[in-house]
Amino acid sequence: MSKIKDLFESGKIKSAFIPYFTLGDPNYNDSIEFGKTILDNGADILELGIPFSDPVADGPVIQRAVARSLKNKFSFSEIFRVTKEIHLHKKEVPLVYLTYFNPIFHCGIEEFLNQAKDSGVVGLVIPDLPFDTKESEFLFQELRKRDMDLIHLVTPASTKKRIEALKKTSTGFIYYVTSFGVTGERREFSVDLKERIRFLKETIQLPICAGFGISTPDQASQISGYADGIIIGSAIQRIIEENGHEFPKAKQALADYIAKIRVAIP
């Protein structure tokens, strides 16, 4: 059983809180402390972004974070070092990478997965990798060998036929994109969001975690009432952007924000 599946089936949580931030923003050592702070204040799963020069699914806040991160010298050894430091701080919390396929391919799929696994990562979210490709099928099989999950994204535009087809290579949970477009904070969500999530749960029979746009405690509270998890990235990244030049201030602002969201999720 994967660590993510064990979490959702344990009965310890009603809806998981899944924060996201980009590794290396503003530098890798600060990322370690930011990760620890997020873990200490209530993350059930932590999603770590690997910086990539063409983050097509990300909105302006995360794009700027990636740009800042890439001003540092990028290396996979540094990515894995930072990840492992975060993992060792709280081993029981599952870590997930959000990355694009190019970095994985460049590193070598099997080498990347071995290093990720050793660093404490138990799942991958890859926005630019369609589920119905040979690469996705190979990756899925390699992940299964390592008890790791391939977490697919489903959007409001995904057809029923496509949703049913991706069940074959989906594990862990489904990342449901709550609205069209790229990541970013939003004030409103589609009126049929609850119905869409219910349909996905019945069709795929995996936990459905909602992301893209959620930023306030009220939004988290409302959506966690029917989603199995809440994913928040841009709001967290904005805190780092606005306070990253003052490390103690950034760390405290992160702690305060994560704690507020944690309290809002049952």
Side-chain angles (χ1 to χ4, degrees):
M1 180 182 294
S2 77
K3 198 169 183 178
I4 293 174
K5 184 176 182 181
D6 184 53
L7 171 69
F8 281 108
E9 294 188 354
S10 67
K12 296 177 181 177
I13 57 170
K14 182 178 178 181
S15 187
F17 178 26
I18 310 175
Y20 162 94
F21 75 100
T22 303
L23 294 175
D25 175 28
N27 60 67
Y28 286 105
N29 286 332
D30 282 2
S31 289
I32 295 172
E33 298 307 314
F34 291 157
K36 291 178 179 179
T37 297
I38 292 170
L39 293 178
D40 286 341
N41 285 278
D44 296 305
I45 298 171
L46 178 55
E47 191 175 31
L48 302 172
I50 296 178
F52 177 56
S53 58
D54 189 22
V56 294
D58 293 312
V61 174
I62 295 178
Q63 286 182 13
R64 292 194 297 269
V66 169
R68 290 191 297 270
S69 178
L70 290 175
K71 289 181 180 179
N72 303 306
K73 185 178 180 181
F74 177 87
S75 71
F76 279 110
S77 61
E78 192 70 349
I79 290 291
F80 296 134
R81 177 188 74 84
V82 170
T83 303
K84 193 164 191 174
E85 288 290 331
I86 294 170
H87 166 65
L88 291 175
H89 182 69
K90 220 164 195 177
K91 292 183 179 180
E92 68 272 21
V93 178
L95 301 183
V96 171
Y97 275 147
L98 188 147
T99 184
Y100 292 86
F101 185 67
N102 185 281
I104 298 174
F105 182 78
H106 179 75
C107 182
I109 292 176
E110 294 180 58
E111 175 65 16
F112 178 88
L113 295 183
N114 288 339
Q115 293 287 343
K117 175 78 172 180
D118 182 65
S119 302
V121 171
V122 297
L124 299 180
V125 180
I126 310 173
D128 65 340
L129 183 63
F131 77 92
D132 53 353
T133 61
K134 291 181 179 179
E135 292 82 2
S136 182
E137 292 176 6
F138 177 75
L139 186 62
F140 176 70
Q141 294 302 326
E142 290 300 315
L143 284 163
R144 288 191 67 180
K145 293 177 185 177
R146 296 164 175 82
D147 292 322
M148 299 171 72
D149 292 306
L150 182 57
I151 299 158
H152 287 304
L153 285 86
V154 172
T155 76
S158 300
T159 65
K160 182 178 180 180
K161 181 178 180 180
R162 191 167 182 83
I163 290 168
E164 290 176 339
L166 64 77
K167 287 195 297 184
K168 296 178 182 179
T169 57
S170 295
T171 55
F173 63 87
I174 293 295
Y175 188 138
Y176 182 65
V177 178
T178 59
S179 54
F180 293 100
V182 295
T183 58
E185 298 159 80
R186 291 174 174 80
R187 293 184 179 180
E188 297 180 351
F189 299 90
S190 60
V191 294
D192 62 345
L193 180 59
K194 182 176 181 179
E195 288 69 28
R196 286 179 178 272
I197 288 176
R198 182 184 293 118
F199 166 74
L200 285 174
K201 290 174 72 169
E202 293 173 352
T203 303
I204 303 180
Q205 297 182 341
L206 281 175
I208 309 300
C209 299
F212 277 48
I214 303 169
S215 62
T216 70
D218 285 346
Q219 290 171 341
S221 177
Q222 176 188 347
I223 297 174
S224 66
Y226 47 84
D228 298 297
I230 301 298
I231 303 167
I232 298 180
S234 292
I236 292 169
Q237 205 69 67
R238 188 181 295 281
I239 292 172
I240 295 173
E241 178 177 55
E242 294 176 350
N243 302 281
H245 59 289
E246 297 182 55
F247 175 74
K249 184 178 179 182
K251 190 174 178 181
Q252 187 59 55
L254 274 177
D256 292 344
Y257 177 76
I258 297 298
K260 287 178 182 178
I261 298 295
R262 174 71 274 172
V263 170
I265 299 174

